[in-house]
Amino acid sequence: MMASLIQDRLTTDQDLLLMQEGMLIRKVRSKSWKKLRYFRLQNDGMTVWHARQAGGSEKPTFSISDVETVRKGHDSELLRSLAEEFPLEQGFTVVFHGRRSNLDLVANSVEEAQTWMQGLQLLVDLVTSMDQQEQLDQWLSDWFQRGDKNQDGRMSFGEVQRLLHLMNVEMDQEYAFNLFQTADISQSGTLEGEEFVQFYKALTKRNEVQELFENFSADGQKLTLLEFVDFLQGEQKEKDNAPDLALELINRYEPSDSGKLRHVLSLDGFLSYLCSKDGDIFNPACLPIYQDMTQPLSHYFINSSHNTYLVGDQLCGQSSVEGYIRCNGVEKRALKRGCRCVEVDVWDGPSGEPVVYHGHTLTSRIPFKDVVAAVAQYAFQTSDYPLILSLENHCSWEQQQTLAQHLTEILGEQLLSTPLDGLLPTQLPSPEKLKPILCPALSALVVYLKSVPFHTFSHSRENYHFYETSSFSESKARNLVKEAGNEFVQHNTWQLSRVYPSGLRTDSSNYNPQELWNAGCQMVAMNMQTAGLEMDICDGLFRQNGVCGYVLKPDFLRDAQTSFNPERPISPYKAQILLVQVISGQQLPKVNTKEKCIVDPLVKVEIFGIHADTARQETNYVENNGFNPYWGQTLSFRVLVPELTMLRFVVKDYDWKSRNEFIGQFTLPWTCMQQGYRHIHLLSRDGISLHPASIFVYISIQEDLETES
């Protein structure tokens, strides 16, 4: 069918050939659960199945697209604990996107372990390096495999009908049969290879895009360079160098060589552009590090984690170094997170070795030195900017000495233990100045972030220094915002504040970080193991600026004399009117896995910012169509402080009997939003791409002509 690098490698790469034959590998869940299973890479090169034994009944284990990376056995806590039973060289770990548990495996030999580690990583690298068209080809190939129930390489109309339900499409049988017959060029009564591609193209014809294209095209066949420039300037608000940009986009997205030579854009090229990163709602200029990184630390929002060692609840959950690796490591999810402040609760442990756990609870315990080793290995693999290690120290004097010893010996030169340049500082250093450096909060080693108790803002001004920091519970911080909003904002221009979740959140739930960011609080610590709206907002803010974990605060939150009060913002903040036309959706995933259950999607647009700006509106639902629903509805919002505004687009499955079910979302800062006709590529509850699921919108920002009060 559709040729791809994966298919080529499946027939030539020795590791992949052996993986397709299958091997007995031991699956390890705990010290007591260790069972042999027969693992085999399927012929599609995209799924791994397993059975109890060779030749036994197989069932799916995982898809390659779900895998972030493959680690050696030495990097697994569980496999290290079994080192006397199984050589670590024979072990390896499959790490998945999102919050899915790792899969620990032990092969029968070092060679077999190498085969699977190398083969899996090769496939993961191939998948992550796919361009837009290759991703679509692979997606189509996956659907063909699922629809071809008898695996004969062709699909009957019965199989196509079943596939349509799997793809979230409710379609008139006669219309579907007409599409099927049109695509069946060979008149064989089945669809093969390219015929299935043509069937898919007919199925996904975008009438709303064609209409838009024809509005700007004089002949309805192509956009000339000047017509495309008009579109970019008038609709996409691309004012700077629009002619040069038009040429660049034509060369990038026009599929035909003759079109490129004539500087014209076909309908296919136009759709390609709209679906690309250039046509995305998130401005690609905000993806790399684009902000000034030379200002004091207090001038940045800092991506922060609460009780980082916990991967479950706060009372009985598991403590694991995985919490730190997932916040700072090389996996894709960690790159999206970009956490730069992690927390370590340290207590006296057996044999003079400090342990990390949530004190006075039933959470499990891990050695402090293992945490420090994980930090040393992963801290700067995804961001060169400073990692703040927030130590909550409950150790005796003797074990505090052990703490200091582990920090200095394991972290070595990564540890900042003296002022930069050896000079007495007068203000907090910048992220740029602190760039291979770790800043811990242990009193014996602290330089810039000494923890001090908060009493009042006047007490802090009169008694504390810029290099000291205070922590606030979420309720205390909220009260301060309400009672002394401007004082809190001014305080956060010169000193760091850390806010942590309430102790009553034993289920590791989260609070909304936005209301604390509104007051300029830099380190708003989140329970990163818990998905949901609050983590979507956090991930949305830190998606920008190279995912480095630092985002420069707006100027009115950096000015020591600022008059800004998030509870009562006044002029010169000019209100903006945001118009969001929700046009259509594409390839939305199923919520209910039952074959004949089709979603009834609606779109909710949520605004988070200062209290007066917070709002929600939603479209009507479209019945029985998750494949290409059309809404064509416009939602309007009035926003007073756009610099502090986050937008969350949520797609839900309408259910008249109970709560609407989540389908996908995307969250971004107002300042990173592009106007015009844009696609919003949806993420799962865990923040993982649901490609090719998207919604198509038109964004317009206008200045409110009313006088602000």
Side-chain angles (χ1 to χ4, degrees):
M1 201 180 148
M2 288 145 285
S4 70
L5 282 173
I6 289 179
Q7 294 300 320
D8 293 340
R9 293 297 186 96
L10 286 172
T11 57
T12 57
D13 186 89
Q14 191 60 36
D15 291 328
L16 299 184
L17 288 168
L18 289 171
M19 289 164 66
Q20 290 174 82
E21 292 176 10
M23 292 183 196
L24 275 174
I25 302 177
R26 197 172 301 274
K27 182 178 177 180
V28 183
R29 286 184 180 167
S30 66
K31 288 185 177 180
S32 58
W33 199 101
K34 300 158 287 191
K35 297 187 178 179
L36 279 172
R37 293 288 184 263
Y38 187 77
F39 286 85
R40 187 169 71 86
L41 176 67
Q42 298 298 290
N43 295 336
D44 62 359
M46 284 297 294
T47 50
V48 173
W49 290 44
H50 77 272
R52 290 182 179 271
Q53 58 192 19
S57 176
E58 293 184 325
K59 59 181 181 179
T61 306
F62 60 85
S63 168
I64 297 300
S65 57
D66 293 333
V67 180
E68 285 189 351
T69 193
V70 185
R71 295 196 205 133
K72 296 178 180 177
H74 295 84
D75 294 329
S76 165
E77 288 176 86
L78 178 56
L79 295 182
R80 282 202 306 270
S81 71
L82 296 168
E84 293 184 4
E85 189 174 350
F86 304 112
L88 285 175
E89 292 77 11
Q90 291 175 211
F92 60 99
T93 302
V94 181
V95 181
F96 297 101
H97 293 299
R99 293 165 175 81
R100 180 174 173 178
S101 298
N102 294 347
L103 176 62
D104 285 308
L105 300 168
V106 179
N108 288 321
S109 69
V110 174
E111 291 74 23
E112 290 186 0
Q114 287 294 321
T115 290
W116 279 84
M117 280 193 286
Q118 291 167 182
L120 286 174
Q121 194 61 57
L122 170 63
L123 292 173
V124 170
D125 292 343
L126 287 173
V127 168
T128 54
S129 66
M130 285 179 180
D131 63 23
Q132 185 178 315
Q133 186 58 49
E134 287 169 335
Q135 287 181 18
L136 181 59
D137 287 347
Q138 188 60 56
W139 187 77
L140 278 173
S141 179
D142 292 345
W143 278 117
F144 189 90
Q145 294 285 338
R146 292 175 68 179
D148 183 15
K149 198 167 185 179
N150 62 3
Q151 296 294 298
D152 64 352
R154 60 187 68 193
M155 275 203 285
S156 66
F157 181 63
E159 287 176 319
V160 166
Q161 284 183 296
R162 174 177 172 271
L163 178 66
L164 289 175
H165 281 114
L166 289 173
M167 296 176 90
N168 239 341
V169 182
E170 181 69 43
M171 184 177 286
D172 176 76
Q173 183 169 333
E174 185 178 349
Y175 179 62
F177 188 61
N178 285 337
L179 290 181
F180 179 87
Q181 285 187 310
T182 303
D184 182 18
I185 299 170
S186 64
Q187 298 185 331
S188 63
T190 60
L191 298 184
E192 304 176 48
E194 192 58 32
E195 291 176 330
F196 177 70
V197 175
Q198 294 309 313
F199 175 77
Y200 171 80
K201 284 185 175 179
L203 194 64
T204 56
K205 184 179 179 183
R206 299 279 301 275
N207 292 326
E208 77 281 20
V209 173
Q210 184 163 346
E211 184 179 334
L212 177 63
F213 180 82
E214 290 172 354
N215 285 344
F216 284 85
S217 169
D219 63 4
Q221 301 298 311
K222 65 184 179 302
L223 287 177
T224 66
L225 182 61
L226 286 179
E227 289 169 342
F228 191 34
V229 168
D230 286 344
F231 173 77
L232 292 175
Q233 289 179 328
E235 302 295 344
Q236 307 298 77
K237 310 304 179 189
E238 302 279 11
K239 300 299 185 187
D240 299 331
N241 300 317
D244 291 340
L245 177 62
L247 274 175
E248 184 183 323
L249 294 175
I250 289 171
N251 285 328
R252 188 176 297 160
Y253 299 114
E254 172 53 40
S256 75
D257 291 336
S258 63
K260 291 177 183 176
L261 284 172
R262 293 185 294 138
H263 297 162
V264 298
L265 196 62
S266 65
L267 177 59
D268 283 347
F270 184 63
L271 179 58
S272 239
Y273 153 67
L274 288 176
C275 293
S276 73
K277 64 179 178 62
D278 291 297
D280 196 281
I281 191 170
F282 194 96
N283 189 339
C286 296
L287 289 173
I289 292 175
Y290 71 100
Q291 295 181 331
D292 178 6
M293 300 301 290
T294 64
Q295 300 198 26
L297 283 178
S298 55
H299 288 189
Y300 298 84
F301 296 123
I302 302 171
N303 200 354
S304 304
S305 167
H306 172 247
N307 287 355
T308 315
Y309 48 88
L310 288 179
V311 292
D313 65 52
Q314 305 285 310
L315 294 179
C316 305
Q318 178 189 359
S319 300
S320 170
V321 298
E322 191 65 30
Y324 296 92
I325 297 171
R326 286 292 178 102
C327 278
N328 305 294
V330 296
E331 289 85 17
K332 258 188 147 184
R333 176 187 148 204
L335 284 167
K336 289 178 182 173
R337 283 281 141 80
C339 186
R340 292 288 88 189
C341 175
V342 297
E343 185 178 12
V344 190
D345 287 356
V346 200
W347 300 76
D348 281 354
S351 307
E353 280 293 338
V355 292
V356 174
Y357 81 111
H358 198 195
H360 309 299
T361 67
L362 298 177
T363 57
S364 60
R365 308 177 183 205
I366 50 177
F368 174 73
K369 62 182 178 183
D370 286 0
V371 170
V372 180
V375 168
Q377 182 175 354
Y378 291 100
F380 302 111
Q381 291 195 11
T382 60
S383 174
D384 291 334
Y385 291 100
L387 176 71
I388 298 167
L389 187 60
S390 176
L391 293 182
E392 193 169 307
N393 175 24
H394 304 276
C395 290
S396 62
W397 188 85
E398 290 79 12
Q399 293 211 12
Q400 283 187 51
Q401 287 185 308
T402 306
L403 286 183
Q405 182 181 345
H406 287 326
L407 287 168
T408 52
E409 290 182 358
I410 297 173
L411 296 176
E413 293 183 357
Q414 290 180 314
L415 180 67
L416 179 67
S417 55
T418 59
L420 291 174
D421 304 322
L423 302 174
L424 186 66
T426 56
Q427 65 175 16
L428 282 169
S430 68
E432 189 66 33
K433 275 199 169 183
L434 287 169
K435 231 174 174 183
I437 294 171
L438 186 74
C439 193
L442 184 64
S443 58
L445 297 170
V446 73
V447 178
Y448 292 113
L449 299 180
K450 180 182 178 184
S451 182
V452 292
F454 176 82
H455 300 289
T456 65
F457 292 120
S458 58
H459 178 271
S460 294
R461 282 195 303 271
E462 294 164 8
N463 297 279
Y464 291 157
H465 303 89
F466 66 88
Y467 53 80
E468 294 168 319
T469 181
S470 298
S471 291
F472 305 83
S473 68
E474 62 173 282
S475 57
K476 174 69 172 176
R478 276 204 193 103
N479 288 335
L480 288 171
V481 173
K482 289 183 173 68
E483 296 165 5
N486 178 246
E487 281 192 279
F488 208 175
V489 170
Q490 290 187 353
H491 173 84
N492 287 324
T493 64
W494 66 278
Q495 194 175 62
L496 287 180
S497 293
R498 181 178 178 275
V499 184
Y500 56 89
S502 164
L504 297 177
R505 295 185 182 276
T506 55
D507 59 352
S508 294
S509 61
N510 277 306
Y511 53 108
N512 188 339
Q514 184 68 53
E515 54 190 315
L516 291 318
W517 292 334
N518 291 343
C521 295
Q522 299 88 351
M523 297 182 289
V524 183
M526 306 292 288
N527 288 314
M528 291 195 167
Q529 69 271 42
T530 305
L533 179 151
E534 297 83 5
M535 274 311 305
D536 292 343
I537 294 172
C538 183
D539 287 343
L541 178 72
F542 291 105
R543 183 169 283 117
Q544 63 182 308
N545 208 32
V547 202
C548 72
Y550 288 83
V551 170
L552 189 65
K553 297 195 287 188
D555 54 4
F556 55 82
L557 292 183
R558 308 195 308 262
D559 178 5
Q561 308 302 318
T562 184
S563 61
F564 180 76
N565 184 336
E567 294 294 294
R568 291 179 294 280
I570 56 173
S571 297
Y573 308 107
K574 293 182 179 178
Q576 305 280 310
I577 299 297
L578 169 67
L579 298 177
V580 179
Q581 183 187 7
V582 181
I583 303 172
S584 61
Q586 296 77 41
Q587 288 96 63
L588 304 178
K590 290 171 75 77
V591 173
N592 190 317
T593 54
K594 290 181 181 176
E595 188 174 303
K596 294 192 176 179
C597 192
I598 310 295
V599 299
D600 302 324
L602 61 85
V603 177
K604 179 184 282 190
V605 180
E606 301 174 320
I607 303 287
F608 299 95
I610 62 166
H611 181 71
D613 289 343
T614 301
R616 294 177 175 85
Q617 293 183 42
E618 64 184 46
T619 67
N620 298 327
Y621 69 90
V622 175
E623 191 171 357
N624 279 347
N625 189 348
F627 195 74
N628 55 356
Y630 181 85
W631 293 281
Q633 287 180 253
T634 299
L635 311 177
S636 176
F637 301 90
R638 183 175 181 272
V639 175
L640 186 60
V641 189
E643 297 92 336
L644 286 174
T645 298
M646 301 291 297
L647 292 93
R648 184 173 185 251
F649 297 84
V650 195
V651 183
K652 294 198 169 185
D653 180 16
Y654 172 77
D655 190 334
W656 66 272
K657 293 182 293 187
S658 60
R659 180 182 296 179
N660 297 338
E661 290 191 78
F662 175 92
I663 294 177
Q665 67 83 29
F666 187 77
T667 308
L668 78 163
W670 176 292
T671 53
C672 296
M673 180 172 59
Q674 297 200 99
Q675 295 189 68
Y677 289 94
R678 303 292 175 184
H679 278 90
I680 300 172
H681 297 278
L682 297 176
L683 305 176
S684 71
R685 195 180 297 277
D686 278 343
I688 305 306
S689 171
L690 292 174
H691 180 82
S694 65
I695 53 177
F696 187 45
V697 299
Y698 180 73
I699 302 290
S700 176
I701 299 171
Q702 304 165 6
E703 193 165 297
D704 188 6
L705 299 179
E706 295 180 18
T707 303
E708 306 301 334
S709 58

